[in-house]
Amino acid sequence: MQAFQEEDYTKRFDLTLWKKLLRIAKPFHKNLFIVGFFMALCAVLDVVFPLLTSYAIDNFIAKQTTAGIPGFIAIYLGLLALQVVSIFVFLRQSGYVETGTCYTIRRLGFQKLQELPFSYYDRMPVGYLMSRLTNDTQRLADTIGWSLLDLCWGAVFLVCCSVQMFLLNWKLALVVILVLPPLALISWKFQKSILAAYRQVRKTNSQITAGFNEGINGAKTTKTLVREEMNIQEFSEVAHTMRSSSIRAATLSALFLPIVVSLGSLATAYALWKGGQDVLIGAMTLGTVNVFVSYTVQFFQPVRDIARIFAELQSSQAAAERVLSLLETEPDIVDTPEVAAVFGDNFHPKRENWPVLHGDVTFKDVSFRYKDGEQVLSHFNLEVKAGQTIALVGETGSGKSTIVNLVCRFYEPTEGSVCIDGVDYRQRSQLWLQSNLGYVLQSPHLFSGTVADNIRYGRPDATEEQVRRAAQMVNAEGFILKMEHGYDTQVGEGGNRLSTGQKQLISFARAILCDPALFVLDEATSSVDTETEQIIQHAIQTVLTGRTSFIIAHRLSTVRSADRILVIQNGKITEDGTHHELIAKRGYYYQLYTNQFQDERGLDILAGNA
Amino acid sequence: MQPNRKKPAACMLELIRQNIWCFLGAMVGTVMMVLISFATPVLLAETVDSVLGTVPSTLPDWLLQPVRALGGREFLRENLWIMGAVLVGLNLLNGVFTFFKGRLSAVASENIALTLREQLYGHLQRLPFAYHVRATTGDLIQRCTSDVETIRRFLSVQIMEVVNTLLLVTLSLMILLGKNVSITLYSMVLIPALFLFAMWFFRKVHKGFRVMDEAEGKMSAVLQENLSGVRVVRAFGQQQREVEKFDAANSDFRKKAKHLNDLLAVYWGGGDALSMLQSMITLLICVVYASRGEITVGTLIIFTTYVGQLLFPIRQLGRTLSDAGKSLISMERIQEILSTPAEPEEPDALKPDLHGDIVFDHVTFAYDQDAPVLKDMSFTIPAGKTVAVLGGTGSGKSTLMYLLQRLYEPTSGVISIGGVPLTKIDREHLRSHVGLILQEPFLYSKTIRDNVGIALRDPMQDRIVDAARVACAEGFITQSDQGWDTLVGERGVTLSGGQKQRVAIARTLLKDNHILIFDDSLSAVDTETDAQIRAALKQRQQGMTTLIISHRITTLSQADFILVLEDGRVVDQGTHAELCARPGLYQRINNIQNVLEEELNHTAVQPESEVNN
């Protein structure tokens, strides 16, 4: 649970991290050089333009002549065009680098996520993984595409500016440049506290959103408990915190600009004072004073940019760490090189070498421990013949799900082995097993797309006829044809336009279309209407026939018709037999059955069925 | 439709009026900033022209008087630092005003955001139950968050920006026209083009943003579906295809983002080109005039600086104006919530003791215009008794319970408790003393301790533990990692349906209940625990009238009497023994036990044969 707490940024600048990232951005190195070149050009031109003004003052105005103005215009226009072109080019190229880096990191990250085992997903909530590939990646790409280049522009500008000033008047330049270090230091400190203040605002803001969320979703319960006023009071506290932290952040920003500008104006004032004196004794031209004054005014922008980028670098580095740690995680369930050489890996299967899967499943002295150390199974043995239906019953946390996950090789045993058709499944590829596996979850998960797309999910090449046959086998065609576009109806994100029962039926059709030798079902507990319930029961029976099946069963009818019922308690099989055998035993199963019988029947009667 | 809804613009003005001093202060700050930004170039120009040069000063007399008193131009030439000091002084002054403007407009806009947030939250809490049954959560949250944010941004930044720009333009025009009309015209020749370009192009860019956001949304959706469906992906061995699917969405987003970026490159590049061209024209015109001696170098500085400081705000104005319209729409969306009538206040309502008989007298109820859910119901529940309610789906049993807390009002007929009609009883009083436990209770994202004590202002630990014990919740609470401090909900642990129900029972028990209602709120608890909870309750509920909706015969049979509902009517009532003797729903429920025994016998006799389902 600690995993998704956002870390604080305490680490120092880590060069190797950025080197790794730049290596990922390798395809864009050429573009980065182009951008760097044009940005530097921009910076140089920014330094040149004040010189043009000074030239005009000294040569046309002071000398009271317009001779040479056309040439001046031509040069000015030429430089202006160059400036606009380089702005345009670096904006485009930077954007190219940014979007390209984003794309590349996301592609790598997504690919990695397809390889990582479930033990990884157990530790990382979906929201956490999402934000690695969305926000963090975006921030990194922004840093690479823009921040580093802003840095380059600022540095070139400052250097050129300083050089130019030294050339014009080194004594004056020396003093003016003295203002830079304190300016930079203050800017940096300020930017850091401003960023921290806004981070606080964002944190409070998410509390506000959470507050509204709860206020709205819990409104009905709140009424029954007469808690309105207390809720309002609690929300009011958060809202006031939001107000004060926002004002604090805004105040800091409002303070920053005046201080930096005033500090910068010291340099301007000095240039005006000393430069003016030099003009009076004829040591300097009016134009040169003008140049000094405009440089000192412009100094401030690059210093502020650089300070901001350094302040942001810390949080970008935290993002970089998180993204790289995802990219560098090694999956712990992998096909060994020997296995992959024969059967192929997850992305490049060699189907021609795959043996037929019959469906004998054996647990040989299997122990399993979760990453956090929790021991779920120890020395567990089980032998299942091909074609048998096994129902697993027992309380939550007894180990039922672990057994099923081990069968699917979503986890591997920490000790012992799981054999399929007599061979340890680690000697076959993951894809071989999973291509022979049918899987229906308690809460069925569909993907956006049409009904047909979803049924076809495990076999994209299935014909329309095969899709229909699969739907007919589980009696799903009735409701599918009743929908607006039949098989071409969009199911919505996660299938949310369909009812739970409909989703279940489609997930059965999806499983049956693959004609798997092994079938795993985590039966739903949520109630659906009676008619759908009967159709689903029928679908289950259809799917089970002729396959080795493991069912985490909740409904009595499903349990009763299994070939073998296993009662699992604390990772051990405590009862094992058919329905009749276990009823005769009068043990845990008997208790469960009699209690649940009343409940199920009662509900059936009230639903108007039976 | 809703006559009391105010116009959005009027609401906006009202909000501004409440913070008028902050706004005025910020406005003064803005004006002063603009004035100083005009003074600085003048200072430089005067230094160049009249201090370093020999041109007579054009400054007003009241400013020149003290200088002359000190020794005039000669004095300033010898003490040039004064000009520098004035420059620093102006910048400091500008800084002070910038700061006050920034802070005051933040205070004003944050006050307004606070007001809106509190109004919205408070109103949402006070809206009737029926509103929340129909409400679409996502849309409401959107209004409470992003719409408030739109208004806040408009008030804190955009208004000042518009004021600032308009002031800049007007004053620049006035001053520059006073100096030289034709140079002014040349200096402004591209300004309208710049403004229109910024405005027109921003619309395009804006569309680009929307297109990109959509593409990003699609990409996130593929990612989200993949991550939450990871088991399905693996079970069907579809990793390769998922990678391709994501790649398509990822590429599309890249394409859209790149397209937007290219648009922005044109937007910024074009704006820069126009601005720089305008600066060049100004400089050249000034140079030509100055070389003829018609204007001074100082005037040149004034022209180039004034025009320079105008360009960026003009470009922003185009953007701000096309953005600002949204705030009125946001205001309207917020008003829509605020103008929905809340539960009315009833100052004269009674607060009687609720230990009396509950009487339903010809009560009919329908949701909105729909067919009635309860039809002409009449029955009496004697004080202090335990009454079970049995009814099928759609029989109206839950609605019946809602009416007892005045979450809805009967369409016709009268419900009374202890002879007092419900409509005369204060809602808060009623709900405080009628405990209603819903079938699917909502838990707050707080610790379990806070959730159990949620109905009390100062819950004491021993009372909380006691209530949890009665609700058979203590066991799983103390067994969890952080015990009573375990966080519930999104950021914490997910409780099972049965655990939630038990927490809900515990929290309701802590209220001072005269009447206690279980709306099928033991359905997800196993039968043994169910019995345990009811046994523990029986010891505590002396004098309390209890209503229990259930389908479990053990629960039903222990009630003092049972109401059987079908299709919105009471079709039967009586004790367990009476109802068992009559054919009907109750008898069938009671028979399950026999059916089960029969089946078990059957199983024992014929162990080898299949039992039909």
Side-chain angles (χ1 to χ4, degrees):
Chain A
M1 276 301 143
Q2 295 304 316
F4 62 95
Q5 298 280 333
E6 296 290 330
E7 303 90 69
D8 276 329
Y9 317 122
T10 48
K11 291 241 178 83
R12 304 206 139 264
F13 185 72
D14 182 356
L15 196 64
T16 51
L17 204 66
W18 291 102
K19 274 191 189 152
K20 280 183 200 162
L21 276 175
L22 281 176
R23 212 171 305 141
I24 292 174
K26 199 168 180 198
F28 308 104
H29 282 183
K30 192 188 73 188
N31 306 84
L32 280 174
F33 282 117
I34 297 178
V35 180
F37 173 76
F38 279 100
M39 272 208 139
L41 188 61
C42 255
V44 171
L45 288 171
D46 282 332
V47 176
V48 169
F49 279 108
L51 291 177
L52 286 178
T53 312
S54 125
Y55 177 87
I57 293 175
D58 292 345
N59 287 287
F60 304 122
I61 302 174
K63 294 179 186 156
Q64 304 271 313
T65 168
T66 51
I69 282 208
F72 179 77
I73 295 180
I75 290 174
Y76 201 116
L77 268 181
L79 291 177
L80 194 151
L82 197 59
Q83 175 83 320
V84 170
V85 166
S86 44
I87 289 174
F88 187 68
V89 169
F90 87 66
L91 282 176
R92 279 182 65 102
Q93 290 290 323
S94 266
Y96 181 74
V97 173
E98 179 226 318
T99 52
T101 317
C102 231
Y103 167 82
T104 309
I105 297 177
R106 284 191 179 127
R107 192 167 50 81
L108 293 172
F110 191 84
Q111 180 122 8
K112 178 61 84 176
L113 283 171
Q114 303 313 301
E115 295 165 21
L116 288 171
F118 284 155
S119 55
Y120 186 77
Y121 284 88
D122 289 340
R123 278 177 294 138
M124 304 294 182
V126 170
Y128 177 85
L129 295 176
M130 288 279 298
S131 68
R132 293 301 74 84
L133 285 197
T134 52
N135 307 342
D136 280 347
T137 305
Q138 186 66 52
R139 172 173 288 245
L140 279 189
D142 282 345
T143 309
I144 292 172
W146 300 100
S147 302
L148 296 180
L149 297 160
D150 273 349
L151 216 57
C152 155
W153 175 82
V156 173
F157 180 82
L158 283 180
V159 169
C160 290
C161 225
S162 313
V163 168
Q164 186 55 43
M165 284 196 288
F166 270 101
L167 289 178
L168 288 171
N169 185 324
W170 69 270
K171 274 185 272 181
L172 192 53
L174 207 58
V175 180
V176 165
I177 284 168
L178 269 183
V179 83
L180 276 184
L183 198 65
L185 194 69
I186 290 179
S187 299
W188 186 57
K189 290 271 176 212
F190 249 106
Q191 293 285 4
K192 271 178 77 170
S193 26
I194 289 174
L195 277 177
Y198 277 108
R199 207 156 40 228
Q200 186 59 42
V201 172
R202 277 200 301 279
K203 249 190 205 162
T204 320
N205 194 36
S206 59
Q207 284 176 8
I208 293 260
T209 310
F212 273 118
N213 200 355
E214 184 160 291
I216 292 165
N217 280 317
K220 284 174 282 181
T221 295
T222 298
K223 279 208 180 301
T224 66
L225 293 171
V226 204
R227 230 194 98 80
E228 290 95 330
E229 296 308 319
M230 276 187 271
N231 277 357
I232 289 172
Q233 208 177 314
E234 281 176 18
F235 178 81
S236 178
E237 277 166 33
V238 182
H240 275 91
T241 312
M242 179 69 183
R243 175 186 177 273
S244 49
S245 56
S246 301
I247 292 181
R248 199 184 106 77
T251 307
L252 267 179
S253 318
L255 205 57
F256 169 58
L257 217 63
I259 287 183
V260 177
V261 170
S262 300
L263 198 65
S265 78
L266 283 178
T268 316
Y270 187 81
L272 192 66
W273 171 25
K274 291 293 174 192
Q277 282 177 342
D278 284 354
V279 172
L280 287 178
I281 58 168
M284 206 191 234
T285 63
L286 265 185
T288 309
V289 178
N290 205 39
V291 173
F292 261 92
V293 169
S294 41
Y295 282 166
T296 52
V297 172
Q298 286 179 34
F299 251 7
F300 150 74
Q301 185 60 35
V303 171
R304 189 168 68 142
D305 278 353
I306 292 172
R308 177 179 52 82
I309 291 160
F310 271 107
E312 281 171 357
L313 214 56
Q314 267 181 312
S315 59
S316 324
Q317 183 166 306
E321 264 169 37
R322 291 191 291 257
V323 171
L324 280 175
S325 89
L326 167 64
L327 293 183
E328 287 172 353
T329 307
E330 287 301 326
D332 52 13
I333 297 183
V334 282
D335 298 324
T336 58
E338 300 82 55
V339 168
V342 183
F343 303 111
D345 65 13
N346 282 341
F347 300 105
H348 311 91
K350 294 181 181 163
R351 286 172 203 272
E352 61 281 5
N353 296 340
W354 286 359
V356 174
L357 196 156
H358 298 287
D360 290 328
V361 177
T362 318
F363 278 67
K364 282 190 186 157
D365 207 28
V366 168
S367 295
F368 181 78
R369 204 180 314 109
Y370 279 104
K371 278 262 157 68
D372 62 11
E374 189 194 345
Q375 182 91 23
V376 188
L377 297 180
S378 45
H379 307 292
F380 182 85
N381 285 291
L382 175 66
E383 202 165 318
V384 176
K385 295 252 164 353
Q388 267 190 340
T389 299
I390 309 290
L392 301 163
V393 297
E395 276 150 28
T396 320
S398 61
K400 290 176 295 182
S401 316
T402 309
I403 294 170
V404 163
N405 283 329
L406 283 169
V407 172
C408 300
R409 205 179 161 189
F410 291 160
Y411 297 105
E412 285 178 352
T414 29
E415 276 167 59
S417 62
V418 176
C419 297
I420 293 185
D421 296 341
V423 181
D424 186 340
Y425 63 16
R426 281 174 285 205
Q427 290 170 26
R428 300 272 187 267
S429 73
Q430 295 173 67
L431 205 59
W432 167 76
L433 171 62
Q434 282 152 6
S435 295
N436 282 295
L437 186 68
Y439 189 70
V440 173
L441 278 168
Q442 190 173 33
S443 47
H445 184 275
L446 300 189
F447 296 87
S448 321
T450 64
V451 171
D453 290 342
N454 271 289
I455 297 179
R456 209 179 258 138
Y457 187 78
R459 265 182 68 189
D461 56 343
T463 63
E464 217 164 289
E465 187 46 42
Q466 288 168 315
V467 169
R468 291 194 60 167
R469 208 170 324 124
Q472 283 160 0
M473 280 175 81
V474 299
N475 281 338
E477 188 162 52
F479 87 83
I480 294 173
L481 290 181
K482 267 188 219 147
M483 292 192 293
E484 205 185 342
H485 302 290
Y487 282 92
D488 296 324
T489 309
Q490 293 287 334
V491 300
E493 203 172 302
N496 61 14
R497 286 190 209 149
L498 304 181
S499 72
T500 314
Q502 292 173 331
K503 283 198 272 186
Q504 279 173 9
L505 286 176
I506 288 181
S507 70
F508 279 116
R510 174 170 73 185
I512 212 166
L513 180 67
C514 297
D515 194 20
L518 268 176
F519 186 76
V520 167
L521 166 65
D522 190 351
E523 199 180 12
T525 44
S526 61
S527 48
V528 292
D529 65 275
T530 327
E531 199 188 337
T532 316
E533 174 62 39
Q534 279 169 349
I535 298 178
I536 287 175
Q537 286 305 326
H538 167 83
I540 291 177
Q541 297 314 324
T542 313
V543 171
L544 297 185
T545 22
R547 311 172 207 280
T548 313
S549 316
F550 290 83
I551 307 173
I552 297 178
H554 297 292
R555 288 177 209 284
L556 296 182
S557 57
T558 317
V559 181
R560 212 160 35 200
S561 58
D563 297 322
R564 226 168 125 189
I565 299 163
L566 303 179
V567 175
I568 311 289
Q569 281 174 310
N570 294 322
K572 295 210 158 38
I573 300 173
T574 52
E575 292 173 36
D576 178 355
T578 63
H579 173 67
H580 303 110
E581 289 163 4
L582 295 192
I583 286 291
K585 232 181 183 172
R586 304 231 149 198
Y588 177 90
Y589 179 75
Y590 174 82
Q591 270 301 323
L592 180 94
Y593 186 80
T594 47
N595 279 338
Q596 203 168 325
F597 186 88
Q598 303 197 350
D599 243 24
E600 263 186 34
R601 270 304 165 93
L603 285 172
D604 277 355
I605 290 173
L606 291 180
N609 163 52
Chain B
M1 195 169 72
Q2 279 157 338
N4 57 344
R5 194 191 301 172
K6 290 192 244 160
K7 285 229 162 59
C11 296
M12 199 79 92
L13 283 177
E14 171 63 21
L15 286 171
I16 292 177
R17 204 191 50 76
Q18 287 163 1
N19 292 278
I20 192 68
W21 293 111
C22 286
F23 272 104
L24 284 181
M27 210 71 91
V28 169
T30 308
V31 173
M32 293 308 292
M33 278 163 64
V34 172
L35 291 182
I36 293 172
S37 72
F38 281 106
T40 316
V42 173
L43 175 77
L44 291 176
E46 284 294 318
T47 313
V48 171
D49 284 351
S50 314
V51 181
L52 303 179
T54 52
V55 183
S57 175
T58 51
L59 286 179
D61 229 28
W62 60 269
L63 260 175
L64 292 176
Q65 210 86 55
V67 179
R68 267 191 224 115
L70 283 169
R73 178 166 167 255
E74 283 313 310
F75 173 78
L76 286 180
R77 287 188 125 190
E78 274 156 37
N79 296 285
L80 259 181
W81 61 270
I82 292 179
M83 305 312 280
V86 175
L87 183 79
V88 174
L90 280 178
N91 268 303
L92 278 176
L93 205 59
N94 189 25
V96 171
F97 287 116
T98 311
F99 172 74
F100 278 111
K101 181 217 124 192
R103 174 159 172 106
L104 286 174
S105 55
V107 171
S109 58
E110 292 304 328
N111 280 344
I112 287 173
L114 177 69
T115 310
L116 284 177
R117 287 187 185 119
E118 288 195 317
Q119 275 182 0
L120 279 167
Y121 190 90
H123 196 73
L124 282 169
Q125 295 298 301
R126 294 187 187 103
L127 283 171
F129 191 81
Y131 181 88
H132 288 288
V133 170
R134 279 182 316 234
T136 42
T137 316
D139 176 58
L140 280 184
I141 291 177
Q142 182 90 18
R143 289 175 194 222
C144 295
T145 54
S146 6
D147 283 328
V148 170
E149 176 60 19
T150 305
I151 292 172
R152 190 196 65 81
R153 206 173 42 230
F154 173 71
L155 293 172
S156 74
V157 188
Q158 294 173 336
I159 282 191
M160 293 302 157
E161 230 171 65
V162 173
V163 170
N164 179 49
T165 311
L166 291 181
L167 209 63
L168 264 179
V169 173
T170 334
L171 280 176
S172 306
L173 271 177
M174 274 163 55
I175 298 174
L176 295 182
L177 282 173
K179 295 226 174 260
N180 186 315
V181 176
S182 51
I183 299 183
T184 309
L185 291 181
Y186 280 115
S187 301
M188 300 281 171
V189 66
L190 289 179
I191 296 280
L194 185 62
F195 172 72
L196 290 176
F197 174 80
M199 187 137 159
W200 170 74
F201 217 87
F202 182 71
R203 298 244 162 105
K204 254 179 109 110
V205 170
H206 195 77
K207 216 177 95 197
F209 270 110
R210 220 176 42 230
V211 171
M212 183 186 77
D213 285 347
E214 276 162 23
E216 187 174 19
K218 278 198 193 121
M219 184 192 69
S220 303
V222 174
L223 182 59
Q224 162 95 43
E225 278 194 338
N226 175 274
L227 291 178
S228 48
V230 62
R231 278 158 199 279
V232 179
V233 175
R234 301 291 170 91
F236 286 95
Q238 292 299 315
Q239 290 95 321
Q240 179 57 35
R241 209 153 62 91
E242 286 291 312
V243 166
E244 284 160 23
K245 193 162 51 163
F246 181 74
D247 201 46
N250 194 11
S251 304
D252 184 56
F253 172 60
R254 176 194 190 172
K255 212 176 90 200
K256 301 281 161 61
K258 181 75 182 72
H259 176 72
L260 171 67
N261 183 76
D262 290 347
L263 270 180
L264 279 171
V266 178
Y267 175 65
W268 288 114
D272 276 352
L274 280 171
S275 307
M276 281 162 36
L277 215 55
Q278 181 62 76
S279 296
M280 185 187 92
I281 293 172
T282 313
L283 177 71
L284 287 176
I285 282 297
C286 286
V287 167
V288 171
Y289 273 72
S291 65
R292 291 196 217 129
E294 288 178 42
I295 61 165
T296 60
V297 176
T299 312
L300 176 142
I301 291 177
I302 289 183
F303 264 97
T304 48
T305 333
Y306 281 12
V307 170
Q309 71 189 13
L310 213 57
L311 294 170
F312 194 72
I314 290 278
R315 286 164 76 174
Q316 283 297 101
L317 187 66
R319 189 189 171 135
T320 310
L321 286 182
S322 51
D323 220 26
K326 282 190 230 144
S327 63
L328 284 182
I329 298 171
S330 292
M331 194 74 215
E332 193 170 355
R333 285 161 51 84
I334 288 174
Q335 280 303 314
E336 233 166 63
I337 297 177
L338 292 180
S339 59
T340 310
E343 283 184 307
E345 301 268 343
E346 290 163 338
D348 303 329
L350 305 171
K351 296 184 178 176
D353 183 83
L354 300 175
H355 282 104
D357 293 355
I358 303 171
V359 179
F360 274 63
D361 185 11
H362 297 288
V363 171
T364 297
F365 175 78
Y367 291 99
D368 291 328
Q369 312 296 322
D370 298 347
V373 183
L374 302 181
K375 297 162 192 163
D376 195 31
M377 274 196 171
S378 296
F379 58 87
T380 301
I381 297 173
K385 297 286 182 199
T386 296
V387 177
V389 178
L390 175 69
T393 324
S395 61
K397 52 191 194 295
S398 292
T399 310
L400 191 75
M401 303 306 176
Y402 294 157
L403 290 182
L404 280 173
Q405 262 209 348
R406 280 190 78 189
L407 296 171
Y408 293 102
E409 306 280 354
T411 315
S412 66
V414 177
I415 306 169
S416 58
I417 300 178
V420 184
L422 231 50
T423 44
K424 293 232 162 74
I425 302 176
D426 181 65
R427 279 195 190 83
E428 200 169 306
H429 175 78
L430 183 72
R431 287 173 196 164
S432 300
H433 299 291
V434 176
L436 170 61
I437 306 157
L438 301 173
Q439 186 182 7
E440 284 178 12
F442 175 89
L443 298 191
Y444 299 81
S445 29
K446 296 171 178 287
T447 62
I448 294 204
R449 184 201 322 278
D450 289 347
N451 263 292
V452 174
I454 199 100
L456 302 181
R457 273 198 187 269
D458 282 308
M460 279 185 311
Q461 177 70 8
D462 55 338
R463 289 194 63 199
I464 290 181
V465 174
D466 181 51
R469 199 171 294 147
V470 174
C472 285
E474 200 193 5
F476 80 81
I477 294 172
T478 45
Q479 269 162 34
S480 58
D481 274 352
Q482 274 139 12
W484 284 98
D485 295 318
T486 306
L487 258 166
V488 179
E490 266 176 67
R491 304 193 133 254
V493 300
T494 321
L495 298 183
S496 73
Q499 291 173 330
K500 278 191 198 167
Q501 288 186 342
R502 282 181 272 171
V503 172
I505 291 169
R507 74 178 172 200
T508 308
L509 289 180
L510 282 179
K511 290 169 57 182
D512 177 19
N513 300 305
H514 300 179
I515 298 170
L516 190 58
I517 303 172
F518 291 81
D519 181 7
D520 216 356
S521 35
L522 285 162
S523 60
V525 177
D526 64 73
T527 37
E528 279 166 63
T529 318
D530 180 349
Q532 245 176 55
I533 295 174
R534 278 180 297 106
L537 269 173
K538 204 155 194 150
Q539 299 190 324
R540 286 172 55 111
Q541 58 190 29
Q542 274 95 11
M544 208 189 291
T545 315
T546 308
L547 286 89
I548 303 184
I549 296 181
S550 180
H551 63 273
R552 287 184 178 147
I553 195 68
T554 40
T555 309
L556 297 166
S557 62
Q558 284 170 16
D560 293 318
F561 80 97
I562 301 121
L563 287 170
V564 183
L565 301 192
E566 256 172 69
D567 194 25
R569 292 178 204 279
V570 179
V571 290
D572 209 349
Q573 51 182 310
T575 62
H576 173 67
E578 286 166 7
L579 290 175
C580 283
R582 293 201 275 271
L585 193 60
Y586 194 87
Q587 198 186 48
R588 289 168 65 203
I589 294 282
N590 189 50
N591 270 343
I592 295 174
Q593 189 66 31
N594 303 332
V595 175
L596 173 67
E597 264 158 37
E598 208 172 290
E599 196 207 285
L600 291 177
N601 287 336
H602 184 72
T603 309
V605 176
Q606 294 175 282
E608 294 310 314
S609 80
E610 266 309 308
V611 177
N612 280 330
N613 40 330

